[in-house]
Amino acid sequence: MKKSYLFLLLFSALAISCSSSNTKITGSWANQEKINSEKIKSIFIAALTGNMEAKTTLENELAFQASQRGVESFKSHNVFTRTFTKDDMPSREELLKVIKATNADVIFTVTMKDKETSTRYVPGTTSYYPMGMGYGYYGSFYGYYSNVYPMMYDPGYYTTDRTYYIESNLYDTASEELIWSAQSETYNPYDIDNFVKGYTETLLKQLEKDGIIKPAETK
């Protein structure tokens, strides 16, 4: 019985690790007149968040994926020497001067627009592992114990769900014109790496679908 229970735990962990992304695209828009994936040779990447760990991890992953497609990237956490705040923002001219100095063809921004938190109750469950056929188990302690013990009850509990609403935009550097935009939802990421992995996988699929980028080159 213990071996069966252990197997179920291992199977559940494997199922979770192999599950699909916890990020989904809820809407996207593309300027069809401006789309030209062959033209994008370099990109400036800016995760608009004050969380430096999240910013660095996300920009690094996006830069890596860009390199897999032959696109040179510039990460904002490397280009800008200080962190901007609402009360300490550079002027439009100052900001664009630094970005345009990289000669990036396009500017990619990603920001969290909203966060929703909700609490729900997960009901308890009873798991039954049948024993072999035999006499009635009420006749002895062990007979009863060995038959009832496999009926394990997991009590209910409350859990908090978190949904993050993300907006991703792509701009032409020269004209500052919006080329592409997408809105997405990320559900219950358990850490930054999990969020970045799910978000990036989903984002790249949408960018390829909308004709913004080419698929990664296979070696």
Side-chain angles (χ1 to χ4, degrees), residues 44-60 62 74-77 80 83-84 107-112 166-167 195-196 199:
F44 185 90
I45 301 170
L48 308 182
T49 173
N51 184 325
M52 287 306 298
E53 181 184 2
K55 181 184 186 72
T56 302
T57 303
L58 181 53
E59 290 185 0
N60 285 344
L62 291 170
F74 303 92
K75 297 170 284 189
S76 73
H77 70 268
F80 295 113
T83 302
F84 303 129
I107 303 169
F108 179 83
T109 65
V110 53
T111 185
M112 183 176 74
I166 310 297
E167 185 171 77
F195 161 73
V196 169
Y199 166 78

Side-chain angles (χ1 to χ4, degrees), residues 6-17:
L6 178 60
F7 173 77
L8 286 173
L9 288 176
L10 292 174
F11 180 80
S12 298
L14 179 63
I16 292 173
S17 65

Side-chain angles (χ1 to χ4, degrees), residues 5-169:
Y5 183 59
L6 178 60
F7 173 77
L8 286 173
L9 288 176
L10 292 174
F11 180 80
S12 298
L14 179 63
I16 292 173
S17 65
C18 297
S19 62
S20 59
S21 170
N22 55 354
T23 295
K24 67 176 181 179
I25 299 292
T26 56
S28 71
W29 171 88
N31 186 336
Q32 298 298 332
E33 295 180 359
K34 293 287 184 179
I35 292 178
N36 186 348
S37 60
E38 299 290 341
K39 188 179 178 181
I40 299 178
K41 302 298 182 183
S42 56
I43 183 171
F44 185 90
I45 301 170
L48 308 182
T49 173
N51 184 325
M52 287 306 298
E53 181 184 2
K55 181 184 186 72
T56 302
T57 303
L58 181 53
E59 290 185 0
N60 285 344
E61 179 62 22
L62 291 170
F64 170 75
Q65 294 297 336
S67 69
Q68 297 296 101
R69 291 159 174 78
V71 176
E72 184 181 10
S73 62
F74 303 92
K75 297 170 284 189
S76 73
H77 70 268
N78 286 341
V79 174
F80 295 113
T81 57
R82 61 189 176 91
T83 302
F84 303 129
T85 64
K86 184 177 181 181
D87 299 322
D88 185 30
M89 281 293 295
S91 66
R92 172 180 171 275
E93 290 74 18
E94 292 173 325
L95 194 65
L96 287 173
K97 181 180 179 181
V98 175
I99 294 176
K100 289 183 176 181
T102 65
N103 292 317
D105 297 320
V106 292
I107 303 169
F108 179 83
T109 65
V110 53
T111 185
M112 183 176 74
K113 301 292 288 184
D114 199 6
K115 173 185 175 181
E116 186 177 274
T117 302
S118 61
T119 301
R120 61 187 171 90
Y121 180 73
V122 179
T125 58
T126 299
S127 300
Y128 176 67
Y129 299 89
M131 308 297 287
M133 296 292 292
Y135 297 100
Y137 56 75
Y138 277 92
S140 68
F141 162 73
Y142 185 75
Y144 180 82
Y145 181 87
S146 61
N147 275 271
V148 173
Y149 184 78
M151 299 181 65
M152 295 176 296
Y153 177 72
D154 290 326
Y157 60 93
Y158 286 94
T159 185
T160 300
D161 294 323
R162 293 178 175 84
T163 303
Y164 299 86
Y165 299 91
I166 310 297
E167 185 171 77
S168 309
N169 292 328

